[in-house]
Amino acid sequence: MINQLFSLFNEILSYTGRINYYDFLKALLMAYKYIEPTYPLMNLVNKLSGLMNLLERASAELNSEIIEYYKDTLSVIDSREVYPLLVDNLGLAEIVEISKRFSLVLSFFIINEEATTHYWKTLFKVSTLREFARIFGAQLLNFPDKTIDNISVNIDNSEGFSTPDELSSFLYNRVAMRLINILSGVSSKQMLLISDHGYDIIYYKSKYIPCHGNLCKKFGGKLVLSKIAPIIIIRRN
């Protein structure tokens, strides 16, 4: 399963250099079966559907195998040459946008099967994200999770977005571009991005809502893309 997971993951990252953020979000909504697929995006939709099907079945039992698989690659990374950032909630759409603006040196993920920060902390044996950031000398960016949680905590009160374009515009301007601007301001040539989880999108009461963890499940969503806890090294182009 690992080979399939990372083959699809990296195919998606390389393919999406040909489309913009808004079209990628539409392809995601097609893969969730919220909107009808359109021909120009069908190849990407099929890859996303394949990745989501694998992630639905994936559990944290794969993590030791994943770390073993990438152990040799990780061992040769010179920590003095990369600037580490810990991002609370790094979604697939944001990873794709980052990959379009920087060169990918390494990209994989571990499985956060509950799609929560709490579960990720148990995997890394830390009590807080700040503790992890302190130990590894990483800059902590927690605004993506706060931005998305501000929407998802009000699911029952019809918070959310009525159209795909509204959803895309919000995430692009409030999350993706803010991340890009921060990364662009880092002086180091290479950056290491680590995240605890991503987010999924549910369609509830005629609204598109990004969420993760128990809130997604409470309102009928599946945990798939939110289970991705990425470990990525990027380099300035």
Side-chain angles (χ1 to χ4, degrees), residues 169-227:
S169 181
F170 177 86
L171 291 175
Y172 181 76
N173 290 303
R174 298 283 295 275
V175 180
M177 281 312 301
R178 190 172 170 190
L179 278 170
I180 296 296
N181 289 335
I182 290 171
L183 297 177
S184 299
V186 172
S187 58
S188 300
K189 188 173 182 179
Q190 290 195 132
M191 288 157 273
L192 169 64
L193 306 182
I194 301 171
S195 183
D196 51 346
H197 58 78
Y199 60 84
D200 280 292
I201 299 168
I202 63 171
Y203 189 63
Y204 181 76
K205 292 185 177 179
S206 301
K207 300 279 189 178
Y208 299 102
I209 303 162
C211 59
H212 66 92
N214 292 330
L215 273 174
C216 268
K217 293 192 292 185
K218 179 180 177 180
F219 292 95
K222 293 180 179 179
L223 301 182
V224 282
L225 298 180
S226 55
K227 290 163 72 173

Side-chain angles (χ1 to χ4, degrees), residues 26-79:
K26 285 181 181 177
L28 266 185
L29 297 180
M30 292 172 191
Y32 282 113
K33 297 182 170 56
Y34 299 148
I35 58 178
E36 286 297 315
T38 55
Y39 175 73
L41 296 174
M42 276 307 301
N43 189 31
L44 175 57
V45 172
N46 289 336
K47 292 181 188 301
L48 287 167
S49 297
L51 179 64
M52 291 161 74
N53 287 337
L54 289 172
L55 285 166
E56 189 174 356
R57 295 184 278 118
S59 73
E61 293 178 2
L62 288 174
N63 286 334
S64 58
E65 191 177 342
I66 291 169
I67 296 300
E68 182 67 25
Y69 188 86
Y70 283 95
K71 181 177 65 177
D72 292 340
T73 303
L74 291 169
S75 67
V76 299
I77 296 171
D78 188 341
S79 60

Side-chain angles (χ1 to χ4, degrees), residues 103-116:
S103 297
L104 279 176
V105 177
L106 175 70
S107 56
F108 70 101
F109 56 86
I110 60 172
I111 305 296
N112 181 339
E113 62 182 53
E114 294 183 4
T116 63

